[in-house]
Amino acid sequence: MANALASSAQSTLPKRAFAIIFCSSVATAIGNTGLISVLPLIGRSLKIPDEMVVAIFSLSAILWACSSPFWARASDRYGRKPLMMVGLSGFMISMTVCGAVVSAGLRQMAAPMVIFGLLLLGRSLFGLFGAASNPANQAYVADHTPRDQRTQAMASLAGAFGLGTVFGPWFAPYFIYPVVGLAGPLFTFAAIAAAMLFVVWRFLPESRRRTETPEEAAEASAEQTVEKALPMWRDPRVAPFAFYGFVVATCQTAQQQTIGFLVIDKLGVSPLMAKDSIAMAMAFGAIAGLLAQWGLIRMFEMTPKQLLRWGVVCGAGGNLLVAIAPDYHTVVAGYALASLGFGFARPGFTAGSSLAVGWKDQARVAGAIAAVNGINAVFAPAFMALYRANHAAPFFLNMVLMLGLLVYAFANKALRNADPAAVTREETTMATIERSDEGGV
């Protein structure tokens, strides 16, 4: 965190403002990834079918993908700070409602299907309103950061999501208190969000948009004649990357949503006894993803073309290892290897699609990628049903899909030529930011 805050000093963004945005992003990421780690325990304890538990996240992710473009436009109209507050409020209220519902379910105050329906509604509040904060956070940083300094600022902001991804599953089991039980983490995350909401309201100044540089103005003027009739995901320049990204995101979501159940079943213990093991497995996966995005990509100056290929190779190998794993430790190793692969693949298709278009179309490309990261979650319940039929089946299916993407990466012209330059720090970290929103949960 110290490095992230230090790098912000090199930009025109005030240190205090960046620190507030950074901590707000960490709080949201910890809450979302922590919820992923405890939701299998909640579902099993409340006797809610596993695929229905996964559907709670799926609906929220779809709503996130649909509402994100609206909130992005609203931040231009109403300002960055109000939208940050809307997002934090949505997160806080959603966690509070879900915590109350879980408490009611643990006390058998309603039938499991009633509890499921209420959880679905509670989590949907986050999908609808929690999506407001992310585009506002990024826009706030961009407003105060000139182009030549924006790379470091975006890298620092991405570090917030990375830290939350690592520490969320790790901390969540410690918030399971004696009285409220499994609802404890949800109430704790809501309290953290409430504290950050007060900090943003009281101490964060409203953004003042930066004046467009002559270079950016000239580039925008040159691109005004570009035809924009087609949605970006149907644009022939972007469509191959969107398809690749959709399959990768589907595989990663399926793995994340089933790993907790697999750990419980592999250990053969009660859900509560498996909580630390689930947290450990998810933490190793998060660290592997950060190793790819913060270390290996930059160390070897990997290009989008290389990332598109190595990502699915590692992903396929990791899923195969999980599918044939004889014990818990092999499951963790396979999950980490697959997460390393996803850490390669996501910057690959994100940077590749960004490089395929000009400056004027960057926002539209980012919107298309955000939609890909959310819409894929609609298939998560199907993967969960497949898991219930055969525990290894979802991971074998993931392996087959990613091997198919490897062939596609070599055969498709756009993916084959996605190699104009090494991936920059900004392109890599933007992929981290986009994934860790709702598509990652």
Side-chain angles (χ1 to χ4, degrees):
M1 183 180 295
N3 291 337
L5 295 176
S7 65
S8 68
Q10 301 175 4
S11 74
T12 59
L13 182 65
K15 291 182 180 179
R16 188 175 75 170
F18 180 80
I20 293 172
I21 296 173
F22 185 92
C23 292
S24 173
S25 300
V26 169
T28 304
I30 286 177
N32 281 324
T33 56
L35 181 58
I36 290 178
S37 70
V38 299
L39 200 58
L41 314 180
I42 292 172
R44 291 283 176 91
S45 299
L46 298 179
K47 295 180 172 53
I48 298 175
D50 295 347
E51 56 267 30
M52 289 187 175
V53 174
V54 173
I56 295 171
F57 271 107
S58 298
L59 177 60
S60 178
I62 293 170
L63 293 174
W64 176 286
C66 295
S67 62
S68 290
F70 168 79
W71 293 122
R73 292 190 298 268
S75 72
D76 285 333
R77 182 175 180 181
Y78 299 107
R80 315 307 187 194
K81 179 177 174 177
L83 271 296
M84 293 181 197
M85 296 177 64
V86 169
L88 283 169
S89 298
F91 177 77
M92 176 188 67
I93 295 172
S94 173
M95 283 292 183
T96 302
V97 171
C98 289
V101 172
V102 170
S103 295
L106 292 173
R107 289 164 175 76
Q108 299 181 345
M109 296 174 64
M113 289 302 99
V114 174
I115 296 297
F116 163 73
L118 294 174
L119 280 174
L120 203 64
L121 292 175
R123 183 61 184 174
S124 296
L125 294 175
F126 175 71
L128 286 172
F129 298 101
S133 58
N134 185 64
N137 289 345
Q138 295 183 44
Y140 194 109
V141 173
D143 289 344
H144 292 269
T145 311
R147 192 180 186 90
D148 61 340
Q149 297 178 9
R150 200 175 307 160
T151 292
Q152 292 295 327
M154 288 297 181
S156 300
L157 183 59
F161 296 106
L163 288 175
T165 301
V166 172
F167 290 114
W170 202 295
F171 288 156
Y174 296 101
F175 299 146
I176 300 176
Y177 309 122
V179 176
V180 294
L182 287 170
L186 283 69
F187 288 131
T188 303
F189 298 144
I192 294 173
M196 287 311 307
L197 178 62
F198 173 79
V199 171
V200 170
W201 169 74
R202 180 66 179 83
F203 299 107
L204 183 68
E206 180 51 274
S207 176
R208 296 292 180 266
R209 300 195 66 177
R210 179 179 53 84
T211 303
E212 188 177 55
T213 65
E215 292 80 5
E216 291 170 339
E219 187 177 357
S221 177
E223 292 179 351
Q224 284 178 349
T225 58
V226 177
E227 178 61 42
K228 296 181 179 180
L230 290 175
M232 185 55 69
W233 60 272
R234 292 180 56 193
D235 189 307
R237 300 169 297 173
V238 178
F241 297 99
F243 173 76
Y244 179 101
F246 176 79
V247 178
V248 165
T250 299
C251 292
Q252 186 175 17
T253 299
Q255 187 182 53
Q256 287 180 332
Q257 299 285 17
T258 54
I259 193 68
F261 298 102
L262 179 64
V263 170
I264 295 173
D265 295 330
K266 187 69 67 174
L267 293 177
V269 298
S270 68
L272 279 176
M273 291 183 64
K275 65 181 187 300
D276 292 332
S277 299
I278 294 174
M280 183 68 69
M282 296 189 68
F284 270 99
I287 292 171
L290 291 177
L291 173 64
Q293 294 178 331
W294 288 6
L296 299 178
I297 291 176
R298 297 171 188 175
M299 181 184 302
F300 296 105
E301 298 184 347
M302 299 175 73
T303 64
K305 180 173 70 175
Q306 294 169 330
L307 295 176
L308 291 171
R309 297 173 181 180
W310 280 107
V312 290
V313 167
C314 293
N319 273 274
L320 174 62
L321 197 57
V322 172
I324 64 175
D327 52 36
Y328 167 76
H329 296 93
T330 310
V331 169
V332 175
Y335 182 69
L337 178 59
S339 298
L340 181 74
F342 294 130
F344 285 142
R346 289 194 161 276
F349 72 78
T350 302
S353 60
S354 175
L355 293 168
V357 300
W359 176 80
K360 195 68 174 180
D361 283 330
Q362 292 303 312
R364 298 176 68 222
V365 167
I369 297 302
V372 162
N373 286 333
I375 294 298
N376 76 87
V378 71
F379 293 107
F383 275 88
M384 196 66 245
L386 186 62
Y387 173 81
R388 286 169 62 87
N390 185 295
H391 290 177
F395 306 102
F396 278 124
L397 178 57
N398 274 359
M399 181 193 70
V400 172
L401 290 173
M402 282 186 277
L403 289 177
L405 283 183
L406 179 62
V407 175
Y408 185 62
F410 278 95
N412 183 267
K413 182 178 179 180
L415 302 186
R416 194 171 61 244
N417 295 334
D419 198 17
V423 180
T424 66
R425 182 187 298 263
E426 181 172 350
E427 288 154 354
T428 299
T429 55
M430 285 304 294
T432 306
I433 291 172
E434 287 162 356
R435 173 58 191 172
S436 60
D437 308 329
E438 176 60 19
V441 292

